[in-house]
Amino acid sequence: EADGDFDAAVEILRVKGAKDVSKRASRTAGNGLVTAELAGTEAGVLVELNCETDFVAKTEVFQDVAAQIAKAALEHRAVDRLAVLGLEVRPGSTVQQLIEEASASLKEKLELGRYTLFEGGYVATYLHKSDPALPPTVGVLVQLDKPSADAARDVAHQVAAMRPQYLTRDEVPANVVEHERGIMEQITRDEGKPEQAVPKIVEGRLNAFFKDVVLTEQPFVREPKKTIKQLLSEQGVTVRAFARFQVGQA
């Protein structure tokens, strides 16, 4: 349509992409990838980019878009997802426009999923492929209080495998704890346990719940007799924060 004029072709694709956005808006982008970008060990970002099919996820175009987004986000230290979308990835083109152009080219709905930035301390990442033929679909970003490559690796692998939701027990919201306690009390009474034994049984079950969802209380996957809290104590480090993204999961 552009008779070989590259710039005109880009404009045609942008216009076409804008027209097609409404057609693709109702579709589900349940596939994609997770990627990361680090600035040494002092800062890092974790980015999820979504598409409709794994066929598109493994294309060079899609993966290049994700890489450009992560690089721009880290360079500008974007604070959240909306800030990322407004970043300029090349003169006159924002991340949002980059995504729309790629969407028009690939004929699928593309959207920026989750995003996080860690700065300070010691930052490390781990990306996991669930299928060798596809890009990583699980990504972890970890922030420690001091340098420790071994501890960062162990924690990142733990987070990827065991999916903790909170860093410490204190971070679990009170309403979540009370909701779990109520369920466990009902289950215990339904089992016919003596009323005087219910509180102790419930506390035991609540502790098991914490071991499932709290990182520091989880058994270390490589040495189940040791908790992550014990592992960190041995290595003399503290986890400041962690993030885990898995494509297709909220």
Side-chain angles (χ1 to χ4, degrees):
E1 290 180 36
D3 294 323
D5 185 329
F6 182 83
D7 291 335
V10 170
E11 289 304 311
I12 291 170
L13 282 174
R14 289 179 64 177
V15 171
K16 177 175 173 53
K19 290 180 179 178
D20 289 345
V21 164
S22 59
K23 297 178 183 178
R24 290 188 287 267
S26 61
R27 299 183 192 172
T28 300
N31 281 282
L33 61 77
V34 179
T35 191
E37 187 81 13
L38 295 175
T41 59
E42 298 177 355
V45 298
L46 195 64
V47 176
E48 178 187 26
L49 186 64
N50 299 118
C51 58
E52 295 178 48
T53 65
D54 57 12
F55 176 80
V56 161
K58 59 186 178 183
T59 63
E60 185 176 344
V61 170
F62 182 79
Q63 293 179 38
D64 182 59
V65 168
Q68 288 187 61
I69 293 172
K71 183 177 180 180
L74 180 63
E75 180 181 351
H76 294 279
R77 299 299 198 267
V79 295
D80 57 29
R81 178 181 176 276
L82 289 178
V84 173
L85 289 171
L87 293 176
E88 189 173 69
V89 287
R90 56 176 182 257
S93 183
T94 65
V95 166
Q96 181 66 58
Q97 291 170 331
L98 176 67
I99 291 173
E100 290 174 1
E101 290 171 13
S103 177
S105 174
L106 295 167
K107 310 296 184 185
E108 281 198 8
K109 177 181 179 180
L110 305 188
E111 61 183 5
L112 181 63
R114 289 161 290 183
Y115 166 80
T116 194
L117 162 73
F118 288 164
E119 286 188 280
Y122 184 88
V123 181
T125 187
Y126 170 66
L127 300 176
H128 176 74
K129 289 186 175 184
S130 56
D131 185 328
L134 298 175
T137 54
V138 175
V140 175
L141 197 64
V142 173
Q143 183 184 40
L144 306 181
D145 66 333
K146 63 182 69 172
S148 177
D150 290 342
R153 181 198 63 235
D154 288 341
V155 170
H157 289 176
Q158 178 79 21
V159 171
M162 301 307 293
R163 309 180 185 187
Q165 299 174 40
Y166 309 97
L167 177 54
T168 65
R169 185 179 292 212
D170 291 340
E171 288 188 1
V172 184
N175 64 313
V176 172
V177 176
E178 288 310 305
H179 177 69
E180 290 296 324
R181 188 189 301 276
I183 292 174
M184 292 166 187
E185 286 178 350
Q186 187 62 51
I187 291 173
T188 304
R189 290 192 171 93
D190 288 347
E191 290 174 345
K193 304 296 184 183
E195 188 60 31
Q196 63 271 23
V198 169
K200 185 175 182 179
I201 294 172
V202 168
E203 285 307 310
R205 287 177 165 170
L206 202 55
N207 285 332
F209 164 74
F210 285 128
K211 287 181 180 180
D212 281 340
V213 301
V214 174
L215 174 62
T216 54
E217 300 196 22
Q218 287 184 339
F220 181 31
V221 288
R222 292 180 180 173
E223 297 179 50
K225 292 183 179 180
K226 179 187 300 184
T227 65
I228 293 298
K229 183 177 182 179
Q230 292 170 324
L231 173 73
L232 295 171
S233 177
E234 290 174 1
Q235 300 194 11
V237 298
T238 299
V239 178
R240 287 184 178 175
F242 71 87
R244 180 187 188 276
F245 297 165
Q246 181 168 350
V247 174
Q249 292 190 355

